[in-house]
Amino acid sequence: QVQLVESGGGLVQAGGSLRLSCSASGRTFRSFNMGWFRQAPGKEREFVAAISWSGGSTWYADSVKGRFTISRDNAKNTVYLQMNSLKPEDTAVYYCNAEVVAQRGFGSWGQGTQVTVSS
């Protein structure tokens, strides 16, 4: 079982940037696609971005493409989400997952980190 801890959320004005981090522990980190998801109030959790175990492939939701960048550092067991040009509709709790397949998370979830974008 892998344990995940997300961090880096906060309050930012529209157009600003944030960098989220997700630290993993508990088992081999390298073998799976990692990903980020988000859940806004009253909405279901949705896929945001994913990265292959090697870092060579990335996938993004259309709503964040061109603004968000996912990356990973296997030596640090950490995956990142750089978020630029933030919009109020990006406001949500952001979660990472250690087993992402076809934009769905099959592994355990962390506690999430709140991102709030003011207009």
Side-chain angles (χ1 to χ4, degrees), residues 2 6 12 30-31 35 77 81-82 87-88 90-91 98 109-110 117:
V2 64
E6 300 96 337
V12 63
R30 294 181 178 81
S31 302
N77 286 354
L81 186 68
Q82 178 67 44
K87 304 176 181 180
D90 295 318
T91 295
W109 298 94
V117 184

Side-chain angles (χ1 to χ4, degrees), residues 4-6 8 15 35 55 61 66 70 73-74 81-82 86 88 94 98-99 106 108 110 116:
L4 303 170
V5 178
E6 300 96 337
I70 189 171
D73 184 339
N74 287 343
L81 186 68
Q82 178 67 44
L86 282 161
Y94 283 71
E99 296 182 38
F106 290 90
S108 56
T116 303

Side-chain angles (χ1 to χ4, degrees), residues 9 12 40 43 47 63 86 92 95 109 113 116:
V12 63
K43 295 186 177 181
F47 170 78
S63 58
L86 282 161
Y95 301 88
W109 298 94
T113 186
T116 303

Side-chain angles (χ1 to χ4, degrees), residues 21 30 50 54 60 69 71 73 78 80 84 90 99 110 114:
S21 299
R30 294 181 178 81
S54 69
Y60 296 93
T69 303
S71 60
D73 184 339
T78 301
Y80 305 96
N84 299 327
D90 295 318
E99 296 182 38
Q114 175 71 49

Side-chain angles (χ1 to χ4, degrees), residues 45-66:
R45 190 175 295 176
E46 64 176 3
F47 170 78
V48 175
I51 186 167
S52 63
W53 68 270
S54 69
S57 297
T58 56
W59 302 270
Y60 296 93
D62 288 343
S63 58
V64 306
K65 205 169 292 183

Side-chain angles (χ1 to χ4, degrees), residues 1-7 21-24 34-37 39 45 93-99 107-113:
Q1 186 78 2
V2 64
Q3 290 79 46
L4 303 170
V5 178
E6 300 96 337
S7 62
S21 299
C22 173
S23 296
M34 296 280 294
W36 287 93
F37 296 76
Q39 187 168 20
R45 190 175 295 176
V93 179
Y94 283 71
Y95 301 88
C96 67
N97 192 284
E99 296 182 38
S108 56
W109 298 94
Q111 85 289 348
T113 186

